[in-house]
Amino acid sequence: MQYYDKENIPDQKHFLNDNSEKMLKDLNHGLAEVVRRAVAISDIEIQVIDGKRNAQQQNEYFRKGVSQSSTSPHLYGYAVDLIALIDGRICFEQEVYDDVANCMRYSGQDLYTPLRWGGAWHVDNICSYNG
């Protein structure tokens, strides 16, 4: 399915910006498609703020305490960091990220792609979580 076609999908509210699309190109194709699908079904604007990292970037994040490990799925293109925007401003409200997680969950289910969500590391696959 093609997302981000304003002429053929006029009811889609939000679209990824060019920088987000650029970061998705380096990710695992399945994960990138889940993100695109999540954006297409969301009522919240979602953008990508980080995708694949090199070892130097990961080590710097670890040194600064941004990451909990010097190894990460980001190194291999199997992780993405998303940000929610409300009226064009970054939002940090937990409920908003619960909605983002649900959009990612539904997209993963639709595309048969298992996902681990950073806000729920105890759940191996949020697509099959029923709690």
Side-chain angles (χ1 to χ4, degrees):
M1 176 175 205
Q2 179 164 351
Y3 309 110
Y4 311 110
D5 182 347
K6 291 180 184 179
E7 291 179 22
N8 294 318
I9 311 172
D11 59 336
Q12 183 173 330
K13 291 184 176 185
H14 302 287
F15 298 85
L16 289 171
N17 61 31
D18 291 342
N19 193 45
S20 291
E21 277 293 342
K22 183 179 174 185
M23 283 188 262
L24 290 183
K25 288 182 187 202
D26 293 330
L27 289 184
N28 167 274
H29 177 73
L31 177 57
E33 286 303 303
V34 168
V35 172
R36 288 183 182 105
R37 171 95 175 113
V39 170
I41 67 172
S42 180
D43 289 334
I44 298 166
E45 182 179 357
I46 301 168
Q47 296 296 330
V48 177
I49 58 168
D50 201 6
K52 188 173 182 181
R53 300 178 191 150
N54 63 39
Q56 182 180 354
Q57 290 168 318
Q58 184 62 35
N59 285 332
E60 184 67 14
Y61 282 3
F62 178 60
R63 186 184 69 74
K64 290 181 177 179
V66 175
S67 179
Q68 296 179 8
S69 172
S70 61
T71 61
S72 167
H74 281 279
L75 292 168
Y76 310 101
Y78 283 97
V80 63
D81 294 338
L82 304 173
I83 194 79
L85 296 125
I86 304 293
D87 296 327
R89 301 180 95 184
I90 296 172
C91 180
F92 297 103
E93 300 293 325
Q94 181 62 45
E95 301 110 29
V96 172
Y97 287 92
D98 290 343
D99 288 345
V100 172
N102 278 327
C103 287
M104 288 292 289
R105 177 182 175 204
Y106 300 142
S107 298
Q109 290 170 343
D110 289 348
L111 298 172
Y112 305 101
T113 304
L115 300 170
R116 176 166 277 177
W117 185 255
W121 283 110
H122 63 287
V123 179
D124 287 334
N125 179 7
I126 65 167
C127 298
S128 60
Y129 184 68
N130 291 320

